[in-house]
């Protein structure tokens, strides 16, 4: 059962990446400033990114989260107290989207800009 759940999570993560539009370069973290929420409204995940790249929010499981996004060479990464990984920025249907993918392969989160 655990194996099936793991396979499903990997497939869903890959599907989210495949569905996204072309990645936009992230020249600096100021371009990501604002409020973001989980796509589709199924999850309560949401974050507020500050101009310096620091963020705070609520994870999908309801836990509060804080971290920092850094950018270099057009790519971005994130670091929080309990996870790290990559951040990609794209547009879908005229909306800005962020995809956080954990480096340990344990999940991803897709968020849309709300402000």
């Amino acid at each position: 059962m655990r194996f099936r759940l793991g396979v499903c999570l990997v497939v869903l993560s890959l599907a989210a990446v495949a569905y996204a539009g072309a990645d936009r370069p992230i020249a600096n973290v100021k371009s990501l400033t604002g409020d973001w929420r989980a796509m589709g409204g199924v999850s309560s995940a949401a974050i507020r990114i500050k101009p310096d790249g620091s963020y705070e929010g609520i994870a999908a499981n309801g836990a509060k989260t804080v971290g920092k996004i850094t950018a270099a060479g057009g790519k971005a990464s994130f670091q929080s107290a309990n996870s790290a990984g990559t951040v990609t920025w794209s547009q879908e249907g005229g909306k800005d989207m962020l995809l956080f993918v954990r480096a340990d392969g344990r999940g991803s989160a897709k968020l849309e800009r709300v402000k």
Side-chain angles (χ1 to χ4, degrees):
M1 183 74 165
R2 278 184 148 172
F3 177 74
R4 286 183 186 169
L5 178 60
V7 170
C8 287
L9 288 174
V10 169
V11 169
L12 288 174
S13 295
L14 292 175
V17 172
Y19 180 73
D23 292 348
R24 298 173 67 179
I26 301 172
N28 61 60
V29 294
K30 285 183 183 181
S31 59
L32 305 179
T33 300
D35 293 336
W36 301 78
R37 66 177 160 90
M39 188 176 154
V42 175
S43 168
S44 62
I47 63 170
R48 174 170 285 154
I49 302 173
K50 297 177 184 174
D52 68 355
S54 62
Y55 65 85
E56 54 187 38
I58 298 176
N61 65 3
K64 290 186 179 181
T65 184
V66 296
K68 179 102 175 174
I69 299 171
T70 56
K75 300 198 180 277
S77 59
F78 74 94
Q79 176 72 51
S80 70
N82 57 9
S83 65
T86 60
V87 178
T88 55
W89 182 21
S90 64
Q91 267 203 334
E92 292 178 24
K95 294 182 181 183
D96 284 336
M97 307 298 290
L98 287 182
L99 180 64
F100 287 73
V101 179
R102 289 176 55 141
D104 62 9
R106 296 180 64 190
S108 64
K110 191 173 193 177
L111 306 166
E112 65 181 318
R113 188 187 304 261
V114 292
K115 297 196 219 182

